[in-house]
Amino acid sequence: MYFKQLFFSFFRKEKVFIFIGILILLNISLFIVYQQSLFSHDGYSQVYPNAGLEFFYYIHSIGITPYHFICMMLLLPNIVSCDFLTTYISHHHYSIETRISKKTYFLYIYFINFILTILVVSIFEIIILLIIHYFYSPIHFNTMVYPEMYYATTQLLFKNEFYNLIFFIILTSLGYGIVSTLLFSFQTFINNPYVYRCSGVLIGIFLILIPALINKALPIYSMAYLLQINNLICLGIEGFDEIPFQLSYWMIYLITFMIYTLCAWGSFQYMYKWRLKND
């Protein structure tokens, strides 16, 4: 009952303006990337039928085109987390906690943040896909047959390009969902709502740099690959030249997802205990 009430309490008018703003930024970045890439060359989409589909994957490459990633990381703290922080600062959470207990309230918001992030990111990904299809390059499926062992971004998970796209969107949304739960707990260290709204970008950059900073300290160099945030939000689009331990992309995603889930849950427990102590 309270879970449902809390869930729908985050659907407010101001969120619409935030989401529209982020969507505008995504479209601006999409236009810039398209104009600077070979996908915009005259006749390219006619010569290469997979141009539209490949362009969709291309914009997710953090190392080459970081704009999509930056916009998404700017979005994440503004879905649920910042509202939770604002409620805490204004002390409006007391009335809720007296009804359902502090622990239950925290758990509800934690999972609401995860679920809503998945929904919002999925919608954004589908909108971007449709914009590419209607305004840049048409999206076609199963138009190419590649040689064995050829690295084709449109067929990394499945040979069927439609299934590959569907699962890429699902896995990307889940990945951003777990990253959002990790950002959620950073309220322990960032208690200014205005700073926190923009903190996702800086934290995202830090998460990208972690594997590069610690790879020499690891007993096996390739282990750093499993810590890359890229595995969660753009699986297979970029990474090491050689996949470590001969793992499949599915296994890499699962391992990275578990690592970030444990980190997010541990950070959440720390935030809960800190709030419990300081309230």
Side-chain angles (χ1 to χ4, degrees), residues 98-155:
T98 55
R99 299 177 189 175
I100 60 175
S101 82
K102 192 181 192 71
K103 185 175 183 180
T104 303
Y105 172 58
F106 270 63
L107 287 172
Y108 277 1
I109 300 299
Y110 183 83
F111 288 110
I112 287 171
N113 177 58
F114 180 66
I115 294 169
L116 276 179
T117 299
I118 293 172
L119 291 175
V120 171
V121 172
S122 297
I123 292 170
F124 272 53
E125 291 288 338
I126 292 170
I127 291 173
I128 292 297
L129 187 68
L130 292 174
I131 289 172
I132 291 174
H133 177 70
Y134 288 108
F135 297 99
Y136 294 98
S137 297
I139 304 292
H140 302 291
F141 299 103
N142 290 110
T143 59
M144 301 291 293
V145 177
Y146 297 98
E148 192 69 25
M149 304 302 290
Y150 183 83
Y151 181 82
T153 56
T154 59
Q155 298 180 5

Side-chain angles (χ1 to χ4, degrees), residues 197-211:
R197 284 187 184 277
C198 304
S199 65
V201 177
L202 295 176
I203 295 171
I205 294 172
F206 179 70
L207 293 176
I208 292 172
L209 294 175
I210 285 178

Side-chain angles (χ1 to χ4, degrees), residues 26-64:
L26 280 168
N27 277 280
I28 292 173
S29 69
L30 191 67
F31 177 78
I32 293 172
V33 172
Y34 182 79
Q35 292 299 322
Q36 294 178 346
S37 69
L38 55 81
F39 297 98
S40 63
H41 293 180
D42 292 337
Y44 185 80
S45 59
Q46 285 75 34
V47 176
Y48 184 49
N50 262 15
L53 191 56
E54 193 162 296
F55 179 58
F56 174 75
Y57 292 112
Y58 179 77
I59 63 171
H60 289 80
S61 177
I62 300 174
I64 301 175

Side-chain angles (χ1 to χ4, degrees), residues 55-63 65-66 68-69 72 125 128 168 172 176 230 233-234 237-238:
F55 179 58
F56 174 75
Y57 292 112
Y58 179 77
I59 63 171
H60 289 80
S61 177
I62 300 174
T65 56
H68 188 87
F69 171 73
M72 284 298 188
E125 291 288 338
I128 292 297
F168 178 82
T172 297
Y176 274 115
N230 315 54
I233 58 179
C234 54
I237 303 303
E238 60 184 2

Side-chain angles (χ1 to χ4, degrees), residues 78-243:
N78 293 286
I79 297 175
V80 171
S81 303
C82 195
D83 297 299
F84 182 71
L85 177 60
T86 304
T87 303
Y88 171 75
I89 293 172
S90 62
H91 304 297
H92 290 164
H93 63 294
Y94 289 146
S95 59
I96 304 174
E97 291 175 4
T98 55
R99 299 177 189 175
I100 60 175
S101 82
K102 192 181 192 71
K103 185 175 183 180
T104 303
Y105 172 58
F106 270 63
L107 287 172
Y108 277 1
I109 300 299
Y110 183 83
F111 288 110
I112 287 171
N113 177 58
F114 180 66
I115 294 169
L116 276 179
T117 299
I118 293 172
L119 291 175
V120 171
V121 172
S122 297
I123 292 170
F124 272 53
E125 291 288 338
I126 292 170
I127 291 173
I128 292 297
L129 187 68
L130 292 174
I131 289 172
I132 291 174
H133 177 70
Y134 288 108
F135 297 99
Y136 294 98
S137 297
I139 304 292
H140 302 291
F141 299 103
N142 290 110
T143 59
M144 301 291 293
V145 177
Y146 297 98
E148 192 69 25
M149 304 302 290
Y150 183 83
Y151 181 82
T153 56
T154 59
Q155 298 180 5
L156 289 178
L157 302 175
F158 293 95
K159 288 295 183 182
N160 185 304
E161 293 170 350
F162 178 73
Y163 292 159
N164 192 87
L165 176 64
I166 294 300
F167 275 87
F168 178 82
I169 292 175
I170 292 172
L171 295 179
T172 297
S173 301
L174 284 169
Y176 274 115
I178 202 62
V179 172
S180 182
T181 60
L182 183 60
L183 290 176
F184 180 82
S185 303
F186 273 80
Q187 297 175 33
T188 310
F189 313 103
I190 307 172
N191 54 21
N192 185 308
Y194 301 103
V195 175
Y196 183 74
R197 284 187 184 277
C198 304
S199 65
V201 177
L202 295 176
I203 295 171
I205 294 172
F206 179 70
L207 293 176
I208 292 172
L209 294 175
I210 285 178
L213 295 173
I214 69 171
N215 58 21
K216 292 184 179 180
L218 297 174
I220 303 175
Y221 176 80
S222 297
M223 289 177 65
Y225 184 91
L226 300 175
L227 301 176
Q228 287 187 341
I229 191 176
N230 315 54
N231 299 330
L232 292 177
I233 58 179
C234 54
L235 179 62
I237 303 303
E238 60 184 2
F240 285 12
D241 294 331
E242 184 178 347
I243 298 176

